[in-house]
Amino acid sequence: MLTPKGEASKSKLLTSAEELFAQKGFHATTVSQIVKNAGLTQAAFYLYFKSKDEILQEMLAKFEERLLPFTDAGRQAAGKSPEELEAYVIQAFTGLFALLGQNANLTRIVLLDTEKGISIRDRIVQQICSNMIRNQQAGIVRPDVEPELAAESVVASVERLIYRYSATGEKDAAELGRQTAKLFLQGILNRRN
């Protein structure tokens, strides 16, 4: 168990590594740069982490844990009325945008920059795909929708929208969640009666 001072030092190292990995990339960042940016020593780094890989693994594990409820939201779709379902999907997208927008640096690292990040991204896609297949079988998702393509589209759209609108402050999580949910649920064409 860490002391409050130890927790603060470890937190500084995590924050520093996160900033530098996002700016320079994981491979281009050194332990020396991390400790300098954190205002600590290399000895302090090795007190909490065995390597640069270990600090990355801890960052990604924490992020993935926080992300799971949103990537698995489709599991809860069965049994909801159409009105409830739309509100639920809007809420799920809004929560996802809020989480990813809280820390664009970590989002960039997780979704784009590292092998482990790519692995997490692939698990997210597979989770969404599995839920879409389950929801197709339940009659919620149209049978002509290709689940993997749809899942990849959701993840790619969320990634881009975070960097384009959330990181710039142009749109908040609620607006992004509402617009994205409506786009995926209703499409872009006017429906003719």
Side-chain angles (χ1 to χ4, degrees):
M1 180 121 177
L2 294 176
T3 65
K5 183 179 177 183
E7 285 289 346
S9 293
K10 186 175 181 180
S11 180
K12 283 181 183 178
L13 290 166
L14 284 163
T15 300
S16 173
E18 184 182 304
E19 289 171 8
L20 292 170
F21 292 165
Q23 290 170 10
K24 299 174 172 245
F26 173 75
H27 297 294
T29 301
T30 65
V31 170
S32 297
Q33 292 167 335
I34 294 169
V35 297
K36 182 179 179 185
N37 190 45
L40 298 169
T41 65
Q42 286 206 0
F45 180 90
Y46 291 109
L47 185 62
Y48 306 108
F49 304 101
K50 292 178 184 157
S51 65
K52 184 173 73 163
D53 286 324
E54 188 175 287
I55 198 169
L56 176 66
Q57 296 308 318
E58 184 167 326
M59 267 189 256
L60 296 179
K62 285 180 180 178
F63 189 81
E64 189 172 17
E65 188 178 299
R66 292 176 62 203
L67 194 57
L68 181 63
F70 299 107
T71 61
D72 201 26
R75 185 180 302 270
Q76 308 301 320
K80 294 193 182 308
S81 71
E83 297 78 24
E84 291 172 322
L85 185 58
E86 183 171 325
Y88 176 74
V89 173
I90 290 170
Q91 179 184 13
F93 269 113
T94 299
L96 181 60
F97 281 115
L99 172 65
L100 297 176
Q102 284 172 359
N103 196 326
N105 285 339
L106 190 53
T107 299
R108 184 177 307 272
I109 293 163
V110 169
L111 298 178
L112 299 176
D113 194 49
T114 64
E115 250 182 71
K116 177 71 171 159
I118 291 168
S119 173
I120 291 171
R121 185 191 185 287
D122 289 344
R123 281 197 302 276
I124 291 167
V125 168
Q126 287 309 309
Q127 184 63 54
I128 293 170
C129 181
S130 295
N131 287 334
M132 276 201 195
I133 291 168
R134 187 177 302 107
N135 289 330
Q136 278 179 322
Q137 293 166 347
I140 297 167
V141 173
R142 290 188 348 238
D144 62 322
V145 170
E146 186 178 327
E148 188 168 356
L149 179 67
E152 286 282 3
S153 297
V154 167
V155 172
S157 296
V158 168
E159 285 175 316
R160 177 63 184 146
L161 293 172
I162 282 293
Y163 301 128
R164 171 62 181 88
Y165 293 107
S166 184
T168 63
E170 238 178 286
K171 295 193 185 295
D172 65 12
E175 177 65 13
L176 287 170
R178 188 178 65 73
Q179 289 288 334
T180 304
K182 288 189 178 285
L183 176 65
F184 279 100
L185 291 174
Q186 300 169 5
I188 61 172
L189 298 179
N190 279 326
R191 298 188 193 271
R192 296 179 190 230
N193 295 331

